[in-house]
Amino acid sequence: MVAPVNIIVGSHVWIEDPGLAWIDGEVVKINGEEVHVQTTNGKTAVAKIANVFPKDMEALPGGVDDMTKLSYLHEPGVLQNLAMRYELNEIYTYTGNILIAVNPFQRLPHLYDTHMMEQYKGAGFGELSPHVFAIAEVAYRAMINEGKSNSILVSGESGAGKTETTKMLMRYLAYLGGRSGVEGRTVEQQVLESNPVLEAFGNAKTLRNNNSSRFGKFVELQFDRSGRISGAAVRTYLLERSRVCQISDPERNYHCFYLLCAAPPEEREKFKLGDPKSYHYLNQSKCYKLDGVDDTEEYLATRRAMDIVGISEEEQDAIFRVVAAILHLGNVEFAKGKEIDSSVLKDDKSRFHLEATAELLRCNAKSLEDALIKRAMITPEEVIIKTLDPDSATGSRDALAKTIYSRLFDWLVDKINNSIGQDPNSKTIIGVLDIYGFESFKTNSFEQFCINFTNEKLQQHFNQHVFKMEQEDYTKEEINWSYIEFVDNKDVLELIEKKPGGVIALLDEACMFPKSTHETFAQKLYQTFKNSKRFTKPKLSRTSFAISHYAGEVTYQADLFLDKNKDYVVAEHQDLLIASSDTFVAGLFPRLAEETSSKTKFSSIGSRFKLQLQSLMETLNSTEPHYIRCVKPNNVLKPAIFENLNVIQQLRCGGVLEAIRISCAGYPTKRTFYEFLNRFGVLAPDVLEGNCDDKVACRMLLDKIGLKGYELGKTKVFLRAGQMAELDARRAEVLGNAARRIQRQSRTFIARKEFRALRGAAIVLQSNCRGKLACNLYEEMRRHAAAVKIQKSFRRHIARESYLRIRHSAITVQTALRGMVARNEFRFRKQMKAATIVQARLRSHLAHSYYKKLQKAALSTQCGWRSRVARKELRTLKMAARDTGALREAKDKLEKRVEELTWRLQLEKRQRTELEEAKSQEYAKQQEALQAMRLEVEEANAAVIREREAARKAIEEAPPVIKETPVLVEDTEKINSLTSEVEALKASLESERQAAENLRKAFSEAEARNSELATELENATRKADQLHESVQRLEEKLSNSESEIQVLRQQALAMSPTSRTTPMRSKTMLLPRTPENGSLLNGETKTTPDMALSVREPESEEKPQKYLNEKQQENQDLLVKCISQNLGYAGGKPVAACVIYKCLLHWRSFEVERTSVFDRIIQTIASAIEVPDNNEVLAYWLSNSATLLLLLQRTLKATGAASLTPQRRRTTSASLFGRMQGIRASPQSAGHSFLNRQALTKLDDLRQVEAKYPALLFKQQLTAFLEKIYGMIRDNLKKEISPLLGLCIQAPRTSRGSLVKGRAQANAVAQQALIAHWQSIRKSLNSYLNLMKANNAPPFVVRKVFTQIFSFINVQLFNSLLLRRECCSFSNGEYVKAGLAELEQWCGEATDEYAGSAWDELRHIRQAVGFLVIHQKPKKTLDEVTRDLCPVLSIQQLYRISTMYWDDKYGTHSVSSDVIANMRVMMTEDSNNAVSSSFLLDDDSSIPFTVEDISKSMQQVDVNDIEPPQLIRENSGFGFLLTRKEGSAS
């Protein structure tokens, strides 16, 4: 990072802060090289201008996913970007092609589920959000496309998440190229299952991590030529062997020691172990237990993991015996012996541990003691035995412990590799390196030196790769980069590993001299590297030295360097363990040829470390590297805490900032032409008005500004460090001038507005004063007018009151007079009306009495006649009932009984006919009598009317006063006489009514008996009809059985060699029913001694059966040939389905046990749909299979249901006479008459038949084909619209002309371009809809197709929206909303019949887009967002959209930080409650309907009127397909 330029007063900058690493603020003063900054925490800080860096004020609130897109690529910008993304749970960020992974310290399962893997599969790098899957995808695709091995280097300090990242990488690589391994476990699973074992023996607690890997692990996934995983291997590097013997507080030794000490009591007793505090190798630190870890459970888990890996029980016991032996060995202490420089065991405790060690290693205790305290020196003359002093013996003990443990770890790795299995023929691999990161503590010893040496090597490899990537970028863009310098750390590596003058070489040299000490070693380093810039000597220490690494200076304490570096391969140790009686222990130390001589060979850990590191680098150099840098955001290992100082230190240690320095050495700022013009076009608006190319426009703009040193590539502008700040300063100046101009205009407008307001107020005040004066004048005039009006009204009121009193008196007098006259008139008319009513009632009674007498006589006559007829009919019915009962006695009397019954029915019919005729004659006579009575009644009425008229005239002519009394007397006498007569008539009427009631009851009883007899007769005839049908079915089955028996008999005779030698054997044969022998019930047999017929009869009966089979086969061939063609539709019904159904029903194929017609039909359908892209054929067979399945669903029933429903509907004549005629028909014509009746009635009237197994299997196969065709049509439509959906999710970019001329025209063009893609989707939808309509596909199935298609559109658009940040913008939401309107319009045009609820399937993308385009998001509360705006979206989805949203149109913000925080809390609660936190949707590709759904949704299909195809129309075997009219015409 170079010194910034153009820092002026008012600039927003970053300055260093001791607590926050970097803090932002505003420049308030510049004094030479000093800058005064007002920070955001309210303090004022002073810093040198070289240490101040500009801040990008236009940075997106959610940061950028690739830090090369930062306007200012410097340390504080990188830190701020990571912090903003970590706050939003965006833990992955790119820096070019390097992935930075910040440990979230919480489970984020939605980032690693199968849906996420599906999204990244095949996606280009950078197309989706940063992810570890993207790195694995790039490595895998590079391996497949280029055929070169790749490696992924995962680095970071302890607790940064390296192991979890490695697991995710292997999971994804196994997903891409997985292959089942041994016992059904994948290679990836086997590698992961080995982790607990390796962690138990290779991990330990350090200062920063409770489970730190103290070795490097390189997992090789081997692939075959097709890209499938064919094997794997785990390579381990750089195991920290010194930890076995030496640990510092508060660290721990390797986990396995503590696990074994926490084993069950019987295990500890077997290994003679006790409390871990009692062992020297463990009690050097006071830390024995880890928080939240149960060592006993971990021990059992490790044993289970060993079982899974394939380590046997015996081998496990041997492993832990060795571990226990190392613990006991560490407690062996030595004291000075009697001789000089000799040593012996210190005490009995040491003796006990020595013997325990020898017992566990299965070796001799004395030999073990001698190997520890004695050395054999071989001279030409003799072998000299030398004893060791206590210190040397202790060193020998520790060397043996480290050697045993190292060999044990190597054996475990080899065992795991053998269990996984490797592919020796594999040419390509993808390696995943998980190795410890750079370490710098307060006290740094030999372990930190080796680790940092490793990281220096890896950093050199990393720098070369980054520089190579920069070169490739510059070469791709064709810019000049030859003058860019590359920062290398070669001098540090030479200082460490150079021979003979490197640190490691000097350390080995010091270890080889017995009298060397750490002080002499340190002095040697001081002398050797006194002129090195990378090496310094601390002032206050005599044994410490400091090395300036790429990540910073580290001070090492050389006190224990010599002890930790010594790794003697002692011949006595080798011989001792080779001689062990335990094959496992002996196998850890194979005898090598060069080690046969009995002498001590020196081998330093540092040298071995360097060799292993060299091997690792050779492996990495042979592969294409990819880098993942894991970062631990805090040291408390808790989520949502981002410690700037900790992260910036890790970025330095991880080489990320070094990569930034390399980038800054060239062109750190890279912008596409569009982005550059969009940001800095305001500096030269006239350049944008032209029609020149973007590249030319960028050059003209930069030349006009006067910027030097930039480069223009093919698609990007490359700027030197500091040039972006200069451009931003100029841009800020231009925008500031524009802002001041806007402020000036705004203030003018505000002042003029205030003036107009004051002037308006004055005018309003004047108007109010004048209005008040006018109101007072008006009030006075109004009062005067009111007084005049009151006087006028009062005078008028007095005059009107006088008039009304006079008028009321006159009306009262007139009313009284008129009322008296009216009451008199009313009284007279009432009397006249009463007299008239009495006369009318009397005359009516006379006429009614006469009519009742006539009616009674008629009823008596009818009842007598009907009872006589009923008695005759009863006798006839009783005789018929007895005749009907006789039908059940015997079959040979059936026809005779039926004939008698028929005769009786005909007789009854004739009697009924005669009775009806007699009834009609009687009815006619009664009608005539009734007519005569009606005439008499009419004449009587006329006479009454005439008398009434005469009386009225007489009353009118006579004076009313004189004749009043006589008339009343005369009327009274007449009324009395009439009343007596009425009473007499009532009595006679009552008697007649009683008689009629008796007759009616008798008649109803006769009718009831008659109806009962008729019911009995009907039941008898019905039973006879059923008996006839059962007989007919038995005859048909009998005939089929006879034909089958004849064929079988012939085959038996043909195969039996003794058929002719047994002529006297009696044979039983089934005789067909003929008129001569009568009908045989239930397959009765006749036995005949005639043996001659037994040979000749089968031959004669085989021919017709064979002819029938051949004819049926020809008909089936013709049917298959016919349906293989496109038969089209008739009246909206598929002809092929109807023809198939008619033929199968007529041939009774559903009821046979074996037939091939079903298989042939299925094969025909299968061959027709072999081409999956022929949608026309698929739609045709979709319609036919659905219709045929509907017919089968409503026709077939299981065999066991025969007793519940009739086998088929009765199709004979409905009349009793017709049924009797059918029963009387000859038995020979029974089968022919059945077919004729089926043809003459509704042939295809759906009737349920008992389906056998072939029919049910055919139905299942047809269902499977329907689902397959449905899926093929749906998938074809998905395949057609998938590329269009990728174009529809993101709006096209605005053209350069819109930057100056405005957005209206550009938006219109972009809208048209986007709508064109949506219209293409509409065109595809319409094409498929019209195709299925043309083929009469069931609307129910069509609805399901489009419902799933819209669900697919919803899933694709919504998932793309959540995975691509550039899509979560305001303008993009507007574009997608316009496209969704197109789909809504299509749904309206398609109608609910075919579209159904398809529009509702888009609810996720509709609500997400609605959220993007809504205004004033910061004012929305969480309830409003979750309940009103987006009720369907989950909290994870809302959080994702809210954090990824950016407004590229108006510059507004997303929802408030409080809403984001509440969402995060809810997400945490959901994760604690085991609620799925996946924010991606899943596409449902299942079949969304069943056969019952189709049966319920489709209407009844009438196959009656289907015209047979021309191919089978003229064939006599298909005559049953003709309609009734055609059949009768033929």
Side-chain angles (χ1 to χ4, degrees), residues 1270-1280 1328 1349 1485:
Y1270 170 87
M1272 293 169 70
I1273 294 177
R1274 179 198 60 201
D1275 294 342
N1276 287 343
L1277 182 52
K1278 285 184 180 180
K1279 191 186 304 180
E1280 187 173 328
Y1328 276 75
I1349 290 299
S1485 298

Side-chain angles (χ1 to χ4, degrees), residues 115-126:
H115 306 309
M116 190 66 74
M117 286 193 256
E118 291 175 355
Q119 296 296 326
Y120 279 89
K121 183 178 181 180
F125 184 77

Side-chain angles (χ1 to χ4, degrees), residues 803-844:
Y803 165 73
L804 290 176
R805 282 195 300 271
I806 297 172
R807 180 172 173 270
H808 182 266
S809 300
I811 290 173
T812 301
V813 174
Q814 290 176 357
T815 300
L817 293 176
R818 289 170 181 167
M820 183 179 63
V821 174
R823 281 192 293 273
N824 294 333
E825 180 68 19
F826 171 73
R827 193 180 298 111
F828 172 73
R829 291 189 178 183
K830 185 177 179 182
Q831 292 175 354
M832 291 300 296
K833 184 178 180 181
T836 304
I837 290 173
V838 171
Q839 293 174 0
R841 292 288 178 86
L842 178 61
R843 291 166 183 162
S844 173

Side-chain angles (χ1 to χ4, degrees), residues 39 56 66 219 301 604 606 761 808 861 901 1017 1034 1092 1341 1500:
T39 60
D56 185 10
D66 190 348
V219 181
S604 71
H808 182 266
T861 305
L901 182 59
L1017 179 62
L1034 290 173
V1341 178
Q1500 180 67 45

Side-chain angles (χ1 to χ4, degrees), residues 1046-1047 1049-1050 1053 1059-1060 1067 1069 1090-1104:
Q1046 295 295 344
V1047 173
R1049 182 177 298 163
Q1050 182 182 1
L1053 291 174
S1059 59
R1060 295 186 180 182
K1067 296 195 176 184
M1069 58 179 296
D1090 189 1
M1091 295 298 107
L1093 293 176
S1094 63
V1095 179
R1096 298 184 59 184
E1097 278 189 358
E1099 295 178 357
S1100 62
E1101 292 181 0
E1102 179 188 4
K1103 294 181 180 179

